[in-house]
Amino acid sequence: MRVYVYPGSFDPVTNGHVDIIKRAALLCDKLIVAVLINSSKKPTFTLEERVKLLHCALADVPNVEIESFSGLLIDFMKKKNATVIIKGLRAVSDFEYELQMALLNKNLDPNIETLFMMASINYSFLSSSSVKELARHKGNIEGLVPDCIIDEVMKKFNE
């Protein structure tokens, strides 16, 4: 069974993430969307909220599982018998950082591959940070995040 992992903070999940997830899911038997618990970051959405938003956004993708993890991605990969890390790239600036991470992971476990997927042109400008900034100022986030989470995202910033 080909098990791939798409790690991220998903704070919140965007249509760019969903696009990468749906395309990556076609390449494997099971895709684990791994929500990172990063103690050095203070996410806007709680871990539970991020997982819930992902479940809503990915309800129609049958071979996707959503899990959270902390610690080293390589350790999580081994635990899940996963062999490929999926990373989405929007621009050259993403590539430099992601290449360093891929080489570090390859050094930790030579059996793990990193597969880079280019963002669709429609989403190459999109980030969770830009969605949060728009929502914070009551801007329109339609088309940037899945329809089923728009109200939750807007509510978070307008409480």
Side-chain angles (χ1 to χ4, degrees), residues 5 7 34 69-78 85 87 105:
V5 172
F69 81 101
S70 62
L72 293 177
L73 177 58
I74 290 298
D75 293 338
F76 180 78
M77 300 281 294
K78 288 177 185 170
I85 300 167
K87 298 301 284 196
N105 287 329

Side-chain angles (χ1 to χ4, degrees), residues 2-68:
R2 293 168 305 157
V3 180
Y4 293 7
V5 172
Y6 180 48
S9 53
F10 308 104
D11 186 39
V13 61
T14 68
N15 283 341
H17 293 130
V18 172
D19 176 61
I20 295 283
I21 291 165
K22 287 182 175 181
R23 290 166 41 213
L26 298 173
L27 305 174
C28 58
D29 301 304
K30 176 165 69 172
L31 178 65
I32 301 171
V33 176
V35 184
L36 176 63
I37 303 165
N38 186 342
S39 57
S40 66
K41 281 187 175 180
K42 181 72 179 103
T44 302
F45 293 85
T46 67
L47 177 65
E48 294 74 22
E49 288 170 329
R50 290 180 282 153
V51 168
K52 181 182 160 204
L53 296 176
L54 279 160
H55 275 290
C56 174
L58 302 171
D60 63 338
V61 191
N63 63 328
V64 167
E65 292 179 8
I66 300 155
E67 296 190 37
S68 59

Side-chain angles (χ1 to χ4, degrees), residues 139-151:
N140 183 2
I141 61 170
E142 284 179 33
L144 305 180
V145 299
D147 290 345
C148 66
I149 74 165
I150 290 173
D151 290 344

